[in-house]
Amino acid sequence: MDTKISASSQITSNLYEQDFYAWTQEQAKLLRERVWDSLDIENLAEEIESLGKQQRQELRNRLGILLGHLLKWEFQPNKRSKSWFVTMREQRRRILEHLKENPSLKPYLTSALENAYKDGIDLAVRETSLTDEDFPDECPYAIDQVLDATFFPGQPVESGQNWVVES
């Protein structure tokens, strides 16, 4: 029996290397059928851990985009646009939705903000005439500010704009 299990696991493990999609379908089928002995446990565990890491990365990516736009907003007030405003609104909404779907990420927010700040600077430098030296070394915004739909650093949203701030 051990030889049969070992051979089945080897075939499944080879499938993982040769055709990942087919491997996922096979593993799902084996799980549903409760054929525990044929599961590729090591690769399954690795993929499940990877899914968790993707959720953290999603949070960091969205924070980086949001921070980049907050920096542009604050440091180039004369170039503010509806596009920047809407991007900040969208990223805030998506971050809050992501946290609602993954509440265990909340303790990671402070660390994610610190890591994402570097990406935010890169975005701001790439999309403006500003340089790295124009921005603080540390993120100047608290996580509560970053996620607050009414927070816009520097001067407030210009009066007369028809942009809607959702609270």
Side-chain angles (χ1 to χ4, degrees), residues 46-60:
E46 186 176 310
E47 291 304 322
I48 290 170
E49 287 173 345
S50 177
L51 289 171
K53 290 176 185 175
Q54 287 175 13
Q55 298 309 307
R56 289 169 57 123
Q57 183 63 41
E58 171 82 10
L59 178 61
R60 282 193 309 271

Side-chain angles (χ1 to χ4, degrees), residues 47-120:
E47 291 304 322
I48 290 170
E49 287 173 345
S50 177
L51 289 171
K53 290 176 185 175
Q54 287 175 13
Q55 298 309 307
R56 289 169 57 123
Q57 183 63 41
E58 171 82 10
L59 178 61
R60 282 193 309 271
N61 288 345
R62 293 202 177 278
L63 281 169
I65 293 167
L66 176 55
L67 288 167
H69 282 76
L70 287 169
L71 290 168
K72 292 190 315 182
W73 188 271
E74 180 173 6
F75 289 87
Q76 285 201 320
N78 58 329
K79 296 196 175 187
R80 290 178 182 166
S81 69
K82 184 176 182 180
S83 173
W84 290 2
F85 177 86
V86 172
T87 296
M88 289 185 284
R89 183 175 66 187
E90 174 189 15
Q91 293 307 315
R92 285 174 166 148
R93 184 178 60 247
R94 290 188 178 200
I95 289 166
L96 293 173
E97 288 170 0
H98 192 64
L99 290 170
K100 187 176 180 181
E101 293 170 359
N102 301 280
S104 63
L105 287 174
K106 287 180 184 174
Y108 175 64
L109 268 172
T110 302
S111 175
L113 182 71
E114 292 170 13
N115 292 325
Y117 182 63
K118 296 171 189 131
D119 293 336

Side-chain angles (χ1 to χ4, degrees), residues 107-142:
Y108 175 64
L109 268 172
T110 302
S111 175
L113 182 71
E114 292 170 13
N115 292 325
Y117 182 63
K118 296 171 189 131
D119 293 336
I121 290 175
D122 288 344
L123 184 148
V125 167
R126 183 174 53 250
E127 295 184 2
T128 68
S129 60
L130 300 170
T131 67
D132 290 19
E133 292 75 30
D134 292 317
F135 302 107
D137 291 334
E138 306 272 325
C139 183
Y141 319 121

